[in-house]
Every structure is written in structure tokens, then in C-alpha cells.
Amino acid sequence: MYDLKQRERIATPSLDARLLSISLDTGSDLPLYRQLHQSVRGAILEGRLRPGSRLPSTRVLATELEVSRNTVLLAYQQLEAEGYLEGRVGAGTWVASNLAVRRRAAREGDRSPRGACDLPVSRRCRALVDVPQPIAALTDGGLAFAPSMPALDEFPWRTWTRLAKRHAANQRHVLRSGLDPAGYRPLREAIATYLGAARGVNCSADQIVIVHGAQQGLDLVARTLLEPGDAVCIEDPGYPGARGAFLAAGANLVGVPVDADGLDVGLLDRLAADPRVIYVSPSHQFPLGMTLSSPRRHSLLRWASRHSAWIVEDDYDSEFRYSGQPPTALCGLDADGRVIYIGTFSKTLLPTLRSGYLVLPEALIEPFLRARVHADLFPPLLEQLMLADFIVEGHLARHVHRMRKLYRQRRDCLLAESRAPLAGLLELVPDETGLRLVGWLPRETDDRVAARAAGSTTRTGVELRGKRRGRDPPRRSPTG
Ligand SMILES: Cc1ncc(COP(=O)(O)O)c(C=O)c1O
């Protein structure tokens, strides 16, 4: 047993060494770096090493443990890849500052994917440890300013309950007419009609597949279209749910920067020779909020046709456009059958409904349905029956109309009321679409420090997501 207490004098005074002990057994079959990895990981999960604590340098720890520096390097690298540690250039290695949620999950029985990392899971599953889980935004409910969350208290619960009663016993009649892996036909017809009117998408019910939210749509796209190692272009910064789905299929992700006009299509030639898929959120870029400009839309479609790439259009919240009309969906401009459109009811209705849809080019209908059947057979029937009536009877249109007004008021109120208190701390950017606002920290502010401070100084905590330090908003950058 090697007690790090002895080492405290030599190296990192900020490490709470009294709480950390490392035992390395040279007689064990488990390589030394794995033993070290497990000791440090255990200390983090048990809370003995707190987020933000500094670890000894690899050189110091190697000397004290009497192992090679490579052993320590390998252990640190694995912990870093798993998201437990982060390195700061010239400053050393630290326990990642955003570990609170993961530690809680570990205490509750280690149900997080991180718990599985010591098991012989696939490389594709391991690749996911670093990707933020899209579900965190839902399970962290109660945090102030949780982004992208619809107003649950405004949902028409009474109508929804009436529809549930109407259909709960009725399902057996529909069962007799057979189940369709694409989903309940009247619901698909209602969606096709809605998309034609609202999004300029001219499609038939045959092209629509009902899925468990956009996330299952992304997973189906990835499993149906990709070979391991295929290049997939995604927006940078972009939606972690898309990153996760493509990584889980073994894709090789290529980040394409966005600017004030959205995805910088002009960079595609340089960044990716022949991507199989290009993922975009053109109506409202996630997370920065710009709209893909009309010239970019046309050049993206041309580029995809030239390179035989599929475009995945994630149209997750364009219903909440506060001025003017949302631009016609890419799918509505696509003459070549290159665009797979993904829509969701997570923002218009409820994220817990887990209901969304794909609009597929004709050529992809059959392969997608084959893949779908082997994933989950077909979508649950009851919710589809309810949703079909909800749309056909006009409740969806009414609810979206009411929420658009409410969200605009809330946005205006937040912008007005926060201007003075946030002056010099955070510059909130007005956004014409959606359920979140982007705020820019001053150039010299470290987003991780700000996130820690916000989380610990407010009563409920504030969810802050940041990526890089002191970056200029793209609207100020030269446009391409
Ligand atoms: C960019 C993006 N796409 C899709 C979704 C919706 O995903 P789902 O329909 O799986 O809830 C979200 C949710 O926040 C999102 O931010």
C-alpha cells in the first residue's frame, strides 16, 4: 500500500492527499496502469478527490510509486478519455470540474455508461464516454434556466387525458388491421399534411417513419447508412445527441465550423473528402442559434449531390419562430433525394413523449424499415392514436400558437430583466427561434470557473454549458 500522504510535501499541495491512497500490486495479473486507473477513478467516484482538484504530475507520481512514467501517463490518458480528468496546458492534470452528475449516478448503482468502462464493451461504446448525455438536460430538471425545456405546466393535460381514455380500450380494433413498422398510418398522414403547410416539405405518408424522438431517428440513420470508419460531417459546435449516435455506429466525426450563416459549406472540400453523412440543424443551429442562409442551403445540396453524401436535417424547434416564417426546410428544396428530415414532438409537446418522425427519400424507405424492425419492431400504438387525434382535431396547432406567444414573452422578459444585472458578466444574444438563449462570457473568463461559481452560488444551481474560453460570437466573425 502506498499512501499518497507521504507525497504531499513533494508535489501538489492542492491535492487532498489525506483522502487518497493508492495500492499497486506488482504480483497481480492486472497491469499497473489499470490498477492506478482504478484507484484514482475510485477516489473520484467516492468523492475523496473532488472536481477541480489537482493531481500530481506524471513524473512526480511515477517516482513516488516507483513505476515508469508511462504507467502513470497511460492511467491519466484513460481517465482523461473517460472524462474523469482534464489537462490544462502548462498547468497539469485536474479532476474534471463537471463530475457531480456522474458521481451521483455512480452512487446510485453505477448505471451510467462510465460504470461499464472496465468491462469488455465495444470500442464504439467506449467512444461514448466522452459525449455529454442528451438526457442530462431532462434529468437535471429543477435547475434554473434549463435550456430547451418546454413549459410543462402549460401542456393541455386535460385534452391529453381525454384522448388517453378514448384510445386505451380502442387499441384492439387497430391491432386487427395490422401493425406497421413505419407507424400508425393516420398519424403519418397528419404529419405529412402538417409538414406541407408549415415547413414546405412535400412528402407522402409513405416517406414518414414514426420514431422515439429525434434521438432514435439519428440512431436509425447511423445504423442504416454508415460503415465503421465512415466520415460524418457535423457542425462544430454541435448537438451531442448527434455526435453520440454517429460515434456509436463507429463513424469518424469531422467537425465543420459554423459562422453567422450556419455551417461553413465552403470548408467541406478541405475538411472531408467523401463524407457519407452531413448532419445540420439549419433552421436553428444547435447550440449557437443561427439560420443556415439560403445560398448556403443551395450550395450544401449541390455539394452533397456531387459527393453522393446524405444530408441529415435536424429540425427540432423551428415551430417556435418569433418573427417571420421559418425558412423552407432543406428537405423541401431537395430535388435529388439526398435529405433525411428529422422532426420531433419533444419541443412542441413533451420531451417525455419520446415521439418524433423521419421523412425519408423514397430510395431509403425499405432499408430503414428493415433496420427499424430489428431495433424495436414498431412504435408504441397508444401514444400514436392519441397524437393522431391531437393533430387532426387542431390541438397541436393551437398549443404551438399559444406557446409561441408565451415563449416570446418569456424571452423578452429574460433579456430585459437580465441586461443590468449581467452587464459585463454575460452578453445574452437575442434569438428569434427556440427555447434557449446563448450568452457569451467576456473573452478573459474561463467558462468552467463561471459554471462552477454559478452552480455553487445560486440556491437551485444553474446549468451552464460552455466549450471554449473567451471566444467571439460567430456573428462578429467574418462570414464565409
Ligand atoms: C439539436 C436537437 N435535436 C433534437 C432534439 C430532440 O431530441 P428528441 O426528439 O430525441 O427529444 C434536441 C433536444 O434538445 C436538440 O437539441
Side-chain angles (χ1 to χ4, degrees):
M1 167 82 76
Y2 180 91
D3 191 347
L4 267 186
K5 204 191 289 184
Q6 302 156 7
R7 193 207 36 74
E8 199 180 9
R9 279 171 316 220
I10 312 168
T12 54
S14 55
L15 173 68
D16 195 350
R18 281 157 304 174
L19 298 175
L20 181 65
S21 56
I22 293 176
S23 61
L24 299 182
D25 176 2
T26 47
S28 162
D29 284 343
L30 199 63
L32 288 174
Y33 85 91
R34 291 292 301 274
Q35 294 181 41
L36 180 56
H37 162 265
Q38 286 182 1
S39 295
V40 178
R41 195 179 80 109
I44 293 171
L45 289 175
E46 286 157 24
R48 286 180 284 124
L49 263 181
R50 287 188 302 271
S53 331
R54 186 177 177 188
L55 269 85
S57 73
T58 50
R59 196 185 310 276
V60 167
L61 194 53
T63 308
E64 291 172 6
L65 293 175
E66 294 175 357
V67 294
S68 81
R69 194 168 162 220
N70 252 356
T71 299
V72 183
L73 261 175
L74 278 173
Y76 276 19
Q77 273 167 2
Q78 184 163 351
L79 287 160
E80 225 174 288
E82 292 169 358
Y84 291 104
L85 300 183
E86 54 195 16
R88 294 181 196 168
V89 181
T93 305
W94 306 68
V95 178
S97 46
N98 59 349
L99 273 172
V101 173
R102 255 177 262 153
R103 279 229 314 271
R104 192 173 61 222
R107 273 204 302 278
E108 285 165 4
D110 217 352
R111 283 176 280 118
S112 77
R114 270 151 230 281
C117 281
D118 292 336
L119 299 172
V121 297
S122 69
R123 202 177 304 151
R124 283 176 278 165
C125 180
R126 276 172 200 276
L128 293 176
V129 292
D130 226 9
V131 185
Q133 296 183 23
I135 199 170
L138 303 178
T139 49
D140 282 354
L143 288 188
F145 305 114
S148 302
M149 193 58 135
L152 303 184
D153 48 338
E154 296 290 334
F155 183 73
W157 291 108
R158 249 201 268 163
T159 307
W160 195 245
T161 309
R162 187 162 45 75
L163 291 173
K165 278 192 193 144
R166 182 190 297 171
H167 289 294
N170 264 355
Q171 290 187 69
R172 60 200 154 98
H173 302 305
V174 183
L175 270 171
R176 275 191 217 126
S177 61
L179 291 163
D180 192 332
Y184 180 52
R185 186 156 188 102
L187 174 59
R188 292 188 284 129
E189 281 165 359
I191 291 172
T193 306
Y194 161 79
L195 284 175
R199 304 297 294 113
V201 174
N202 184 15
C203 65
S204 74
D206 290 332
Q207 290 173 263
I208 293 181
V209 177
I210 308 295
V211 286
H212 304 290
Q215 196 59 39
Q216 193 195 19
L218 289 163
D219 179 65
L220 259 185
V221 167
R223 284 190 305 112
T224 312
L225 299 183
L226 295 176
E227 303 289 354
D230 274 350
V232 171
C233 290
I234 53 166
E235 296 159 323
D236 179 18
Y239 181 47
R243 253 174 79 201
F246 295 130
L247 282 175
N252 188 11
L253 297 188
V254 180
V256 181
V258 295
D259 62 19
D261 285 339
L263 184 91
D264 196 339
V265 180
L267 293 177
L268 285 173
D269 273 329
R270 185 149 62 77
L271 293 176
D274 275 313
R276 181 67 70 101
V277 165
I278 304 168
Y279 165 88
V280 271
S281 45
S283 302
H284 189 218
Q285 202 275 334
F286 185 97
L288 296 180
M290 65 287 281
T291 302
L292 188 66
S293 67
S294 177
R296 291 261 177 102
R297 281 169 193 255
H298 290 285
S299 48
L300 178 59
L301 287 165
R302 281 196 302 271
W303 199 94
S305 283
R306 268 203 317 277
H307 291 78
S308 304
W310 300 106
I311 297 174
V312 175
E313 174 176 27
D314 185 349
D315 199 27
Y316 61 105
D317 71 354
S318 61
E319 285 85 355
F320 298 117
R321 185 94 180 174
Y322 305 122
S323 62
Q325 287 298 310
T328 300
L330 268 177
C331 181
L333 304 171
D334 173 28
D336 246 12
R338 290 267 132 224
V339 178
I340 297 149
Y341 176 97
I342 304 186
T344 177
F345 294 105
S346 286
K347 309 292 171 221
T348 47
L349 295 178
L350 296 171
T352 48
L353 194 57
R354 306 309 310 136
S355 194
Y357 48 89
L358 299 176
V359 182
L360 298 172
E362 303 273 355
L364 289 181
I365 297 173
E366 204 275 323
F368 265 69
L369 291 183
R370 209 175 330 131
R372 196 285 154 70
V373 166
H374 290 284
D376 67 339
L377 303 184
F378 54 84
L381 186 57
L382 177 59
E383 286 83 352
Q384 293 186 82
L385 298 173
M386 294 164 64
L387 204 43
D389 280 3
F390 194 85
I391 298 173
V392 171
E393 291 174 10
H395 304 298
L396 177 68
R398 268 193 298 281
H399 181 61
V400 168
H401 183 70
R402 208 164 63 81
M403 289 306 99
R404 196 182 293 132
K405 266 173 104 178
L406 176 75
Y407 296 153
R408 189 197 302 134
Q409 281 166 6
R410 289 184 175 179
R411 178 203 62 170
D412 292 346
C413 173
L414 179 60
L415 285 169
E417 295 300 319
S418 62
R419 197 164 294 127
L422 291 182
L425 297 172
L426 192 68
E427 184 199 345
L428 287 189
V429 183
D431 194 331
E432 287 309 318
T433 308
L435 310 181
R436 58 170 200 276
L437 290 177
V438 172
W440 291 94
L441 294 163
R443 202 170 236 298
E444 64 281 2
T445 306
D446 184 327
D447 55 358
R448 286 164 296 201
V449 174
R452 263 203 303 278
S456 62
T457 57
T458 62
R459 197 159 56 82
T460 50
V462 175
E463 182 181 356
L464 288 185
R465 294 187 201 164
K467 196 164 179 247
R468 291 170 196 158
R469 277 183 235 183
R471 201 177 138 197
D472 275 340
R475 66 197 165 88
R476 295 185 194 133
S477 314
T479 55

